[in-house]
Amino acid sequence: MGQYMPGNSVFHKMRGTTKLICFFWILTAVLLTDSAAGFFLLFLTAGASIALAGIGLRNMGKTIARLKVFFSVIFLMNLFFFSPEQAWWSCWIFHISPAGFEQGAGVVMRVVFLLVFSRILIATTTPVELTGALEILLLPLGVFGISTGELAMILSVAVQFIPILSKEADQIRKAQIARGAKFESGHLRDRAKSVLPVVIPVFLAAFRRADELALAMEARGYRKTKAQRKQCKFRVHVRDVQAVVLSCAVCITQILL
Amino acid sequence: MKHQLSEVKCAVLTAASIALCIVLPMAFHAIPNAGNIFLPMHIPVLICGLVCGWRYGLLCGIAGPVLSAVLTGMPPAAVLPGMAAETAVFGVAAGFMMKTVHTKRLFPDLYISLITAILLGKVISGAAKALIFSAGQYSMAAWVSASFITAWPGLLLQLALIPAVVAALEKSKLIPARYPKKSGRFQ
Amino acid sequence: MSIELNQISFCYASHTSYGEYALREVELFIGDGEFVGIMGHTGCGKTTLAQIVAGLLPPFAGTVKIDGYDINKKGYDRKLLRKKVGFVFQYPEHQLFETTVEREVAFGLKYGGLSWNERMERVKDALECMGFAFERVRKESPMSFSGGEKRRIAIAGVLVSDPDILILDEPTAGLDAKSRSSLHKIIAKLNQRGATVLWISHDADSLCKYADRIIVLEKGKIVMDGPPREVFADQTKTEQYQIGTSQARVISEMLQKRGFKFERKPITYQELLDDLCNYFKKGG
């Protein structure tokens, strides 16, 4: 599932949590980038990351190319509508301005970098690692009364339910199509009406399975565990620390630039 | 016979809802254009919040979109933070409203909670997006109104769909009836 | 309503490296009004085959012709296909969603252009066929019925469009004996009225009793095709393809080993009973 690409790079060897933390620092960095120098720094970071992760440039290029329409629209919208003052060229409501150009380019580049970094993350981390990392990051929710044990259980059950519910949803969809529900053709209104016959049975199926599972768990003595410190088998490698520090540095630099 | 939703059941229901955050959009992908209009990922989050309470709604609201992005790449990373913020608020608000609003009838409770949750979600995420993405360039009002204008068919669908789902769940005895009444049906 | 499959192949996940062929170059002709049983071990392709016949899955290769028309050709009226072919999935009660029984069953007629009253007529017929008193159940919620009743409501929802071809995927799974036999009788009656029936099942007993013809699939290919007596005659084959055999057959085999001599190989209880009566009448 997902776009994981097996490999042996530095990134592949890093633990999921580290990568996720780095990702958030870099994410913030991308969002804060405002100057040309800042973008250049991002460019360097991205280039280094791609090289370290061992992902082909062509692959990356494909991902970006797929969204070229989206990018063009955003760029052009900003170019033409952003700021009516200091325009190079004006016509009715269209104003091409340098500010618009900068803004448009900025937004597009930010999204591109976001894509690049998230692609690197997903390509070098297996879904299992990612869910594990996600679980750790959701720990703060323990404050609200959901213990870590419960959280781990919920996430792992959720992942297991996905293929099961997917199959059920597919079967329900086909059953309703066989009865005449219109998904393939017809007005949007017809298609909207056909949503109910799929969504309701899918929820019923999901809740039914959840019911059975909960019953089985309770019958086997499962009880909600109090919030407890997770058994941390954390062996922090040098490279983990390096990665986090580096990402942090990139972020801070962006603030300064 | 009134039975409450046990903790374990809530937890497993939340897991099922999170799974549906991934499964529903995939099922809708078979229908062209449906994803943008029907916003299928919001539905399990809202239902989870309405049925299980605000804690679980919050968890579903965060874990759902994030897990979906992680496993299937949808929503794309650029859109994710905004969407997750929105759904997180949905989950919390829906759960909170169901706890506070008791009109003695199921459907009014649901509608009030849903509308409040959706409004709050849109406003708060709109504000967040305005702050993060444009650092004050576009006004907050623009962001908020943009999100309402493009999404209104989806909102209508959610308002029609979700109470129907909850009613069906109650009728099938998969969740305890909010206002149990003496059954008049004799077999 | 004849069904013709020509060189049908189907592959799951064909665009990835681990795609698997669920069906390989299947050729099949089913004539109008036949009652065909489809058997085979789990995963042999029965459900895939049925879904391809019903037009729910597009074949990877090959053509599907219903009444001589290629259903996957551009321009074929899919609405008509949905009406002509009724498909009962496994555990059909899981597809119920409406607030009242009458609306649930009437869903299949939604785009038929009939008036409400006309639709209610058909709904009434379908529900009564499945053993319900129309006026008593029409306004009830489908969710408030028992499992077996829900299933009957769901099947009524498929029968309401008066299909010429009825495909059922293990419709008796999880039912008690009484419900099972009453469902068999209903389907047999529909077959007598002219519907072509495709019945996927693991239950050799009922197929022996009702089916004219049995098709056995293994790993995506049809390996046996003939009347039940022929198909269940060879015990080594039935074991190889994991389709089991009817209880009557098992009993007759056991009796034969102990010296009873039968003229033919009985496959249903009734035949076994008759053969035993004849045997004893002749003095054993």
Side-chain angles (χ1 to χ4, degrees):
Chain A
M1 233 188 197
Q3 307 116 306
Y4 175 67
M5 295 191 291
N8 237 333
S9 70
V10 174
F11 281 173
H12 279 94
K13 295 208 193 102
M14 251 198 263
R15 29 178 356 111
T17 350
T18 327
K19 278 186 272 188
L20 215 55
I21 297 176
C22 293
F23 181 71
F24 280 120
W25 281 117
I26 304 264
L27 188 75
T28 328
V30 170
L31 293 173
L32 291 171
T33 317
D34 233 343
S35 62
F39 279 115
F40 186 63
L41 176 63
L42 274 184
F43 185 70
L44 286 175
T45 322
S49 309
I50 297 179
L52 280 173
I55 304 175
L57 270 174
R58 203 183 310 163
N59 224 307
M60 199 62 75
K62 253 194 272 171
T63 322
I64 300 177
R66 243 182 277 150
L67 288 171
K68 54 179 180 247
V69 178
F70 174 71
F71 291 144
S72 326
V73 170
I74 298 257
F75 179 67
L76 288 170
M77 281 200 61
N78 274 290
L79 184 66
F80 286 120
F81 296 115
F82 189 62
S83 125
E85 353 163 340
Q86 305 172 319
W88 286 330
W89 176 83
S90 282
C91 169
W92 185 34
I93 52 168
F94 299 104
H95 312 274
I96 303 186
S97 60
F101 183 83
E102 270 176 35
Q103 179 77 357
V107 173
V108 171
M109 282 210 274
R110 263 183 235 129
V111 178
V112 169
F113 279 120
L114 270 175
L115 275 175
V116 167
F117 287 114
S118 40
R119 189 83 168 79
I120 296 176
L121 177 69
I122 296 182
T124 58
T125 321
T126 62
V128 174
E129 284 180 310
L130 278 171
T131 27
L134 179 67
E135 175 200 320
I136 293 179
L137 280 157
L138 288 172
L139 276 188
L141 278 174
V143 165
F144 296 128
I146 300 181
S147 67
T148 56
E150 199 178 11
L151 195 63
M153 183 272 278
I154 293 177
L155 285 179
S156 62
V157 169
V159 174
Q160 285 172 52
F161 267 160
I162 294 170
I164 298 173
L165 293 178
S166 194
K167 218 169 158 201
E168 291 246 29
D170 198 42
Q171 173 148 314
I172 290 167
R173 193 175 53 93
K174 288 205 189 115
Q176 309 297 28
I177 289 179
R179 290 164 80 189
K182 287 193 177 179
F183 293 125
E184 306 139 348
S185 54
H187 304 288
L188 202 63
R189 212 170 295 150
D190 286 338
R191 281 190 258 164
K193 282 200 212 145
S194 302
V195 165
L196 207 76
V198 172
V199 172
I200 290 187
V202 167
F203 269 93
L204 288 174
F207 275 52
R208 206 180 291 128
R209 288 195 181 260
D211 211 17
E212 288 168 4
L213 183 60
L215 204 66
M217 287 166 79
E218 281 174 326
R220 283 166 141 194
Y222 179 92
R223 255 169 290 117
K224 177 187 165 181
T225 51
K226 289 208 192 83
Q228 35 178 229
R229 265 188 305 148
K230 183 175 165 111
Q231 272 233 323
C232 281
K233 288 203 217 133
F234 263 10
R235 259 181 293 121
V236 185
H237 280 254
V238 180
R239 72 169 90 95
D240 291 325
V241 182
Q242 282 176 341
V244 176
V245 169
L246 262 176
S247 336
C248 213
V250 172
C251 182
I252 296 179
T253 327
Q254 293 296 7
I255 303 180
L256 300 174
L257 276 175
Chain B
M1 185 181 66
K2 191 173 182 191
H3 57 285
Q4 292 294 333
L5 271 181
S6 68
E7 293 277 7
V8 178
K9 196 142 171 223
C10 270
V12 184
L13 285 179
T14 311
S17 305
I18 295 175
L20 285 176
C21 283
I22 293 153
V23 169
L24 275 185
M26 290 207 290
F28 277 75
H29 255 83
I31 316 171
N33 292 323
N36 305 324
I37 304 174
F38 299 142
L39 308 162
M41 206 178 285
H42 296 177
I43 301 172
V45 176
L46 284 163
I47 291 183
C48 182
L50 291 169
V51 170
C52 301
W54 68 269
R55 291 187 179 84
Y56 294 99
L58 176 63
L59 176 57
C60 185
I62 300 178
V66 177
L67 201 63
S68 173
V70 157
L71 293 177
T72 67
M74 288 294 291
V79 183
L80 181 61
M83 182 168 232
E86 198 174 13
T87 49
V89 176
F90 281 169
V92 173
F96 184 72
M97 291 307 292
M98 281 301 266
K99 204 158 100 169
T100 25
V101 175
H102 288 274
T103 64
K104 298 274 186 343
R105 295 182 64 196
L106 178 66
F107 273 72
D109 283 1
L110 287 176
Y111 279 118
I112 296 174
S113 309
L114 270 177
I115 294 175
T116 318
I118 294 177
L119 277 174
L120 270 176
K122 293 263 174 226
V123 168
I124 292 182
S125 79
K129 274 189 223 163
L131 290 173
I132 293 176
F133 283 104
S134 317
Q137 299 287 11
Y138 290 103
S139 68
M140 189 164 87
W143 271 107
V144 174
S145 47
S147 55
F148 273 109
I149 290 171
T150 48
W152 75 264
L155 295 181
L156 239 60
L157 195 81
Q158 281 165 19
L159 284 177
L161 209 54
I162 294 176
V165 175
V166 178
L169 287 171
E170 268 198 13
K171 264 272 149 61
S172 312
K173 305 218 175 45
L174 288 169
I175 57 175
R178 191 168 167 82
Y179 300 110
K181 53 176 182 212
K182 282 213 168 79
S183 161
R185 182 160 193 265
F186 296 92
Q187 267 188 275
Chain C
M1 283 288 137
S2 62
I3 304 170
E4 188 180 332
L5 296 177
N6 263 313
Q7 291 291 313
I8 291 289
S9 291
F10 190 84
C11 186
Y12 282 106
S14 56
H15 55 282
T16 62
S17 55
Y18 42 79
E20 252 183 54
Y21 271 99
L23 293 173
R24 286 176 184 281
E25 289 157 13
V26 169
E27 296 263 339
L28 183 60
F29 182 83
I30 295 176
D32 188 22
E34 282 194 62
F35 193 132
V36 181
I38 302 181
M39 301 185 82
H41 64 84
T42 341
C44 66
K46 317 189 280 287
T47 310
T48 314
L49 184 69
Q51 288 185 8
I52 286 182
V53 169
L56 292 169
L57 278 178
F60 207 52
T63 55
V64 181
K65 291 203 183 133
I66 293 190
D67 241 11
Y69 296 105
D70 185 346
I71 65 172
N72 291 305
K73 204 170 179 175
K74 245 198 169 120
Y76 184 83
D77 189 359
R78 287 254 140 176
K79 261 202 307 207
L80 210 57
L81 182 67
R82 303 299 171 217
K83 273 206 211 110
K84 281 197 209 162
V85 180
F87 200 118
V88 178
F89 277 82
Q90 276 188 44
Y91 298 99
E93 58 271 21
H94 288 181
Q95 73 198 48
L96 302 174
F97 68 96
E98 272 286 3
T99 44
T100 59
V101 171
E102 61 182 10
R103 290 169 71 162
E104 176 70 50
V105 177
F107 179 70
L109 301 170
K110 205 161 196 176
Y111 300 103
L114 298 169
S115 72
W116 178 253
N117 287 325
E118 287 171 326
R119 276 187 258 165
M120 283 302 110
E121 272 300 310
R122 305 262 195 113
V123 168
K124 180 162 179 265
D125 287 336
L127 282 169
E128 285 178 351
C129 178
M130 295 309 297
F132 286 104
F134 179 59
E135 287 304 325
R136 207 145 38 106
V137 301
R138 64 188 293 191
K139 297 285 185 196
E140 297 283 335
S141 160
M143 320 291 178
S144 56
F145 289 85
S146 75
E149 289 172 324
K150 276 201 254 194
R151 184 169 298 194
R152 285 192 281 144
I153 295 173
I155 297 179
V158 175
L159 297 181
V160 77
S161 58
D162 204 17
D164 297 310
I165 298 175
L166 194 55
I167 305 178
L168 305 110
D169 193 346
E170 304 202 43
T172 55
L175 288 182
D176 60 270
K178 185 166 171 234
S179 310
R180 227 183 291 156
S181 82
S182 89
L183 185 60
H184 289 152
K185 294 200 182 98
I186 295 171
I187 303 297
K189 195 167 59 165
L190 289 168
N191 176 241
Q192 274 163 24
R193 270 200 239 159
T196 312
V197 173
L198 262 74
W199 183 298
I200 301 176
S201 180
H202 289 293
D203 183 4
D205 275 307
S206 40
L207 286 181
C208 279
K209 195 166 172 194
Y210 294 105
D212 305 320
R213 178 178 165 199
I214 295 189
I215 293 171
V216 181
L217 284 163
E218 193 192 50
K219 296 208 185 114
K221 293 197 106 119
I222 295 181
V223 289
M224 284 215 261
D225 182 352
R229 196 177 304 285
E230 231 176 75
V231 167
F232 291 114
D234 193 344
Q235 219 170 348
T236 49
K237 282 232 178 87
T238 58
E239 269 175 33
Q240 180 190 355
Y241 300 131
Q242 295 174 50
I243 55 172
T245 190
S246 67
Q247 287 295 313
R249 187 87 186 79
V250 172
I251 294 171
S252 69
E253 286 284 318
M254 282 164 61
L255 290 172
Q256 254 186 330
K257 287 205 183 105
R258 279 168 172 70
F260 283 73
K261 287 194 176 47
F262 291 109
E263 286 169 5
R264 59 169 176 188
K265 296 187 178 185
I267 54 172
T268 64
Y269 285 124
Q270 194 56 50
E271 290 181 359
L272 182 62
L273 200 61
D274 293 340
D275 285 0
L276 282 172
C277 287
N278 289 334
Y279 184 86
F280 285 117
K281 267 196 208 139
K282 289 193 193 145

